[in-house]
C-alpha cells in the first residue's frame, strides 16, 4: 500500500558529495588534519532539524546561537534558557515565517538582537575571494560561524531559497561542508565553494535583493537588551508604523514647528491610543519570577549597566523636556487621552 508524502530526496552527486559517503569521510578527515573543521564539533553538538518546512533561517540561527553559548536571557521550557525556533519572533511573527519563510536581512537582525556580533554581506557587498577568506576564518575558529543564504538550484536540488550553517572547509578541493538543517530532505554534504557562491549570488524574489552570508562572531561584549525589547507580534506595530510613516509627515506639513519642544508637543498630542502598548517586554532581572535566590555575575552586570544607562538618559536635556511635557496637566497621559477618545466615539 502506497504511503502518502515524501521520504527524503536523493542528493544529486555530483555536484554534492554526501558527508557520510566514503569520499565525504575522506574529505572530512583531510580537512580535520588541515585545521579547517575547528567549529564542526560544537556545531554538530547543537545541531537541529528545522521543525517547519519554512523554518530553515530560524533553525540555522538557533544552532549557531546555542553553539556560541549565548544566553537568550529568557526561559525556553521549565527553568532552562535555550534558543529555540519558537523564541526567534521579535522581527517577524512565527505564523508569517511558517507560511512565507524569512528574509536574509531579518535573519541578520535576529542574530544581532539575540546577542551575537554579526557581520552580514549580500553578494553585491562581497566577492568570491572575500567569501573564501571569511569561510576559512570561521572554519579555523570555534568562535565564528557562517550561515549561508542560497538557492538550491545550482546544486540541482529541489526547492528554492534556503539557509544552513557551513560546518567546515576543505582547502585542497576548495569545498565547503553544508550542514543542511532540512535533514528530512538532504543530509549534510560537501559542495564546491565556487558553486556555493553562485547559489548565494542569486536574487530573492521576496525582496528583489541578492542573497548573502552571515558571520556570527562570538557574542557581544554586553547584553544586547539593557532596557527594552519591542515585540512586533502585536498589532500595535502596524498602527504605530502607520502613524510614523503617514500621519507624522502630514502633521509636520500642516502645523508650524519651530522648536524641539513644539515638535515633541505635537507628537505626544497626536500619538495613537495604542502607543501605550507599543513597548511590550521589559528586559530586566526578576528574582521572584526566575525563582533564584541570587544574581549571576552576568545578570548583576546587566543591572549595573541598565542603571548607568538610565542615569545618563535622565541627565539629558531631551529627557527633561519630555518629562516636563508629560507632567503638564493640560497634556494628560496616554491612558487619559485613550479614555477621552473612547468617550468621544461613544457620543458619535
Amino acid at each position: 500500500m502506497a504511503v502518502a508524502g515524501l521520504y527524503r530526496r536523493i542528493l544529486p552527486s555530483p555536484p554534492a558529495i554526501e558527508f557520510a559517503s566514503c569520499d565525504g569521510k575522506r574529505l572530512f578527515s583531510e580537512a580535520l588534519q588541515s585545521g579547517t573543521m575547528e567549529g564542526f564539533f560544537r556545531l554538530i553538538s547543537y545541531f537541529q532539524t528545522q521543525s517547519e518546512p519554512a523554518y530553515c533561517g530560524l533553525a540555522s540561527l538557533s544552532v549557531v546561537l546555542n553553539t556560541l553559548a549565548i544566553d537568550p536571557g529568557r526561559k525556553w521550557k521549565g527553568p532552562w534558557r535555550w534558543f529555540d525556533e519558537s523564541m526567534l519572533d521579535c522581527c517577524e511573527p512565527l505564523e508569517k515565517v511558517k507560511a512565507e519563510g524569512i528574509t536574509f536581512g531579518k535573519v541578520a537582525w535576529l542574530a544581532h538582537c539575540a546577542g551575537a556580533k554579526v557581520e552580514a554581506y549580500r553578494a553585491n557587498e562581497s566577492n568570491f575571494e572575500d567569501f573564501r577568506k571569511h569561510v576559512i576564518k570561521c572554519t579555523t575558529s570555534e568562535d565564528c560561524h557562517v550561515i549561508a543564504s542560497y538557492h538550491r538550484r545550482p546544486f540541482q536540488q529541489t526547492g528554492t531559497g534556503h539557509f544552513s550553517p557551513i560546518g567546515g572547509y576543505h582547502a585542497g578541493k576548495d569545498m565547503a561542508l553544508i550542514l543542511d538543517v532540512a535533514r528530512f530532505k538532504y543530509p549534510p554534504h560537501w559542495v564546491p565553494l565556487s558553486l556555493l557562491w553562485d547559489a548565494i549570488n542569486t536574487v530573492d524574489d521576496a525582496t528583489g535583493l541578492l542573497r548573502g552570508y552571515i558571520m556570527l562572531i562570538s557574542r557581544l561584549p554586553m547584553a544586547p537588551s539593557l532596557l527594552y525589547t519591542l515585540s512586533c507580534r502585536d498589532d500595535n506595530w502596524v498602527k504605530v508604523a502607520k502613524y510614523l510613516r503617514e500621519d507624522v509627515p502630514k502633521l509636520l506639513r500642516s502645523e508650524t514647528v519651530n522648536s524641539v519642544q513644539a515638535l515633541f508637543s505635537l507628537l505626544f498630542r497626536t500619538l495613537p491610543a495604542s502607543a501605550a502598548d507599543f513597548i511590550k517586554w521589559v528586559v530586566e532581572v526578576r528574582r521572584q519570577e526566575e525563582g533564584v535566590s541570587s544574581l549571576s555575575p552576568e545578570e548583576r552586570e546587566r543591572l549595573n549597566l541598565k542603571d548607568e544607562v538610565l542615569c545618563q538618559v535622565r541627565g539629558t536635556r531631551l529627557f527633561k523636556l519630555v518629562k516636563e511635557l508629560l507632567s503638564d496637566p493640560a497634556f494628560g497621559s496616554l491612558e487619559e487621552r485613550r479614555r477621552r477618545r473612547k468617550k468621544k466615539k461613544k457620543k458619535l
Side-chain angles (χ1 to χ4, degrees):
M1 181 179 178
V3 179
L6 298 170
Y7 179 72
R8 306 190 70 172
R9 291 284 191 185
I10 297 175
L11 183 70
S13 180
I17 298 175
E18 186 172 342
F19 178 63
S21 68
C22 291
D23 287 341
K25 292 176 183 177
R26 177 179 51 78
L27 289 171
F28 173 77
S29 178
E30 292 171 356
L32 188 64
Q33 291 297 318
S34 66
T36 51
M37 298 294 297
E38 290 300 305
F40 171 81
F41 292 100
R42 289 191 181 275
L43 276 172
I44 211 67
S45 297
Y46 299 100
F47 196 67
Q48 66 186 71
T49 302
Q50 61 190 80
S51 61
E52 294 286 345
Y55 272 13
C56 54
L58 302 186
S60 298
L61 192 52
S62 294
V63 169
V64 176
L65 291 172
N66 287 323
T67 299
L68 291 171
I70 295 176
D71 188 340
R74 58 192 178 108
K75 290 184 288 186
W76 164 58
K77 291 182 180 180
W80 302 107
R81 299 197 299 270
W82 177 261
F83 276 107
D84 179 71
E85 297 157 315
S86 62
M87 299 168 65
L88 299 172
D89 59 352
C90 72
C91 288
E92 199 81 282
L94 290 177
E95 285 303 312
K96 185 175 181 182
V97 178
K98 186 176 178 180
E100 304 173 9
I102 192 167
T103 62
F104 173 82
K106 288 181 178 175
V107 170
W109 184 245
L110 269 173
H112 175 77
C113 290
K117 181 181 177 183
V118 180
E119 292 183 17
Y121 302 91
R122 292 191 185 275
N124 60 318
E125 299 169 332
S126 183
N127 56 54
F128 177 54
E129 292 303 320
D130 286 341
F131 175 53
R132 180 191 282 120
K133 290 176 184 176
H134 288 140
V135 168
I136 293 173
K137 175 183 177 179
C138 286
T139 54
T140 54
S141 168
E142 292 185 345
D143 297 321
C144 175
H145 301 283
V146 176
I147 295 175
S149 169
Y150 61 97
H151 199 290
R152 287 190 180 276
R153 188 186 302 114
F155 303 134
Q156 301 173 31
Q157 298 173 0
T158 61
T160 54
H162 192 54
F163 289 90
S164 279
I166 294 177
Y169 173 71
H170 190 291
K173 297 292 185 180
D174 200 25
M175 299 184 82
L177 175 62
I178 295 179
L179 298 179
D180 200 324
V181 291
R183 286 192 289 183
F184 51 83
K185 188 174 184 179
Y186 293 116
H189 47 277
W190 294 92
V191 295
L193 195 68
S194 59
L195 199 60
L196 177 55
W197 175 253
D198 290 342
I200 289 172
N201 194 17
T202 53
V203 175
D204 181 357
D205 293 336
T207 61
L209 301 173
L210 289 170
R211 295 182 170 86
Y213 59 97
I214 304 167
M215 295 170 61
L216 278 71
I217 307 169
S218 190
R219 57 185 300 164
L220 288 169
M222 63 175 65
S225 302
L226 296 176
L227 299 176
Y228 302 104
T229 297
L230 301 179
S231 167
C232 40
R233 294 179 298 177
D234 196 273
D235 290 340
N236 294 312
W237 266 105
V238 177
K239 296 174 183 175
V240 173
K242 179 181 178 298
Y243 167 75
L244 294 172
R245 187 178 63 251
E246 300 176 11
D247 298 343
V248 170
K250 292 178 182 176
L251 288 167
L252 293 176
R253 285 195 296 269
S254 64
E255 297 196 25
T256 302
V257 179
N258 51 19
S259 68
V260 175
Q261 185 171 359
L263 173 62
F264 277 97
S265 179
L266 173 65
L267 294 178
F268 288 145
R269 281 191 287 105
T270 57
L271 275 174
S274 58
D277 299 322
F278 185 55
I279 296 178
K280 301 295 293 182
W281 297 332
V282 179
V283 179
E284 62 181 356
V285 179
R286 299 179 176 90
R287 295 195 192 195
Q288 293 181 352
E289 291 184 14
E290 296 293 339
V292 295
S293 58
S294 61
L295 300 177
S296 68
E298 181 181 352
E299 290 169 329
R300 191 175 294 108
E301 181 183 4
R302 177 178 292 188
L303 284 180
N304 291 337
L305 285 169
K306 176 183 175 181
D307 290 340
E308 182 181 337
V309 171
L310 285 174
C311 184
Q312 293 176 6
V313 169
R314 292 189 186 105
T316 62
R317 291 179 60 189
L318 180 60
F319 177 84
K320 293 173 182 176
L321 173 61
V322 172
K323 185 179 179 181
E324 289 175 4
L325 285 171
L326 293 177
S327 60
D328 187 346
F331 177 72
S333 67
L334 288 173
E335 198 61 39
E336 287 172 349
R337 281 184 290 125
R338 179 190 290 179
R339 286 197 292 267
R340 289 176 201 157
R341 290 180 188 181
K342 283 185 178 179
K343 287 180 180 179
K344 190 175 181 180
K345 286 181 180 178
K346 286 180 180 179
K347 290 179 180 179
L348 294 173

